[in-house]
Amino acid sequence: MLRNATRDDHAAAENQDYLVALLAGRLSPEGYGAMVAQNHFVHAALDRVSRALADDPVAAPFVLPELYREEASARDLEMILGPGWRTAIEPSAPTLALVARIDRTAAWPGGYVAHHYTRYLGDLSGGQFIRRELRRIYGYGQDGGADAYRFDAVGSIPRFRKEYRARLDALPVDEDERRRIVQEARLAFRLTTEVLAGLGRAVLAEPAA
């Protein structure tokens, strides 16, 4: 249900001008860092809600510390922007809207699962291609720059994805809640697309280096 319902939303996010320019190698490291910065705020929110829901029967199967990305994106920002990165970044308006929505799911475990799926299944799947391209374009190695797409702790990614899908199928929720989760996942994709669109307006409007 999630895959089929979000297919078009996923495609809309992937085809944003910002990502097209990034993967074509047309952005400076700082231009790429602008996305890492926005993702860092999202990662922090997901990690925060995850810890708050650790004992919830619906959310607990998806409280997976091996997926936490806040520290990984911090390492990336250190590499890209330097040691003063914390004072050099701020969330955009679309990012604030997405973070606020994630924070609200601390009171709705099904919503947390929807945002967890939207962020981490994408990073575990298409994110591996993005990581390879980032390493090719910018030369990032094992010491930061693209660590947010490294999931060494999960082991085999195909096996992990299969287990993750089984966890989704086993969610102890009724049909109405399933539909609510699907709609929240669609909203999560749309909010993510707005973040990317904002990055496109900000970064692509800058004079070429």
Side-chain angles (χ1 to χ4, degrees), residues 17-85:
D17 290 345
Y18 175 88
L19 281 183
V20 172
L22 173 66
L23 296 176
R26 302 205 307 266
L27 301 185
S28 67
E30 292 76 16
Y32 159 56
M35 181 181 73
V36 180
Q38 300 310 308
N39 287 344
H40 180 70
F41 295 109
V42 176
H43 293 152
L46 273 171
D47 292 0
R48 180 169 61 248
V49 173
S50 179
R51 295 186 184 99
L53 292 174
D55 296 326
D56 181 87
V58 172
F62 299 89
V63 176
L64 303 167
E66 61 267 38
L67 295 183
Y68 290 175
R69 297 288 94 187
E70 183 178 6
E71 291 185 7
S73 57
R75 289 195 300 273
D76 292 341
L77 288 166
E78 178 90 15
M79 169 63 67
I80 300 163
L81 302 180
W85 65 268

Side-chain angles (χ1 to χ4, degrees), residues 79-96:
M79 169 63 67
I80 300 163
L81 302 180
W85 65 268
R86 291 186 186 277
T87 59
I89 68 171
E90 60 181 24
S92 65
T95 296
L96 286 172

Side-chain angles (χ1 to χ4, degrees), residues 50-180:
S50 179
R51 295 186 184 99
L53 292 174
D55 296 326
D56 181 87
V58 172
F62 299 89
V63 176
L64 303 167
E66 61 267 38
L67 295 183
Y68 290 175
R69 297 288 94 187
E70 183 178 6
E71 291 185 7
S73 57
R75 289 195 300 273
D76 292 341
L77 288 166
E78 178 90 15
M79 169 63 67
I80 300 163
L81 302 180
W85 65 268
R86 291 186 186 277
T87 59
I89 68 171
E90 60 181 24
S92 65
T95 296
L96 286 172
L98 177 53
V99 166
R101 191 73 190 187
I102 292 170
D103 282 337
R104 287 177 61 184
T105 67
W108 176 33
Y112 161 74
V113 172
H115 286 271
H116 196 278
Y117 166 84
T118 302
R119 171 60 55 173
Y120 292 126
L121 260 289
D123 288 349
L124 280 163
S125 302
Q128 301 314 299
F129 168 75
I130 293 175
R131 181 184 169 217
R132 289 193 296 271
E133 291 302 290
L134 292 173
R135 295 181 69 178
R136 177 184 63 82
I137 294 166
Y138 301 106
Y140 296 131
Q142 300 296 319
D143 53 353
D147 278 7
Y149 298 107
R150 284 182 60 186
F151 290 91
D152 297 346
V154 309
S156 167
I157 289 179
R159 183 179 67 247
F160 184 89
R161 290 172 60 196
K162 182 178 180 180
E163 294 170 352
Y164 190 101
R165 287 192 291 269
R167 291 170 191 251
L168 286 172
D169 290 341
L171 276 171
V173 296
D174 61 21
E175 192 64 24
D176 286 344
E177 181 68 353
R178 286 173 184 261
R179 284 194 288 268
R180 287 186 69 206

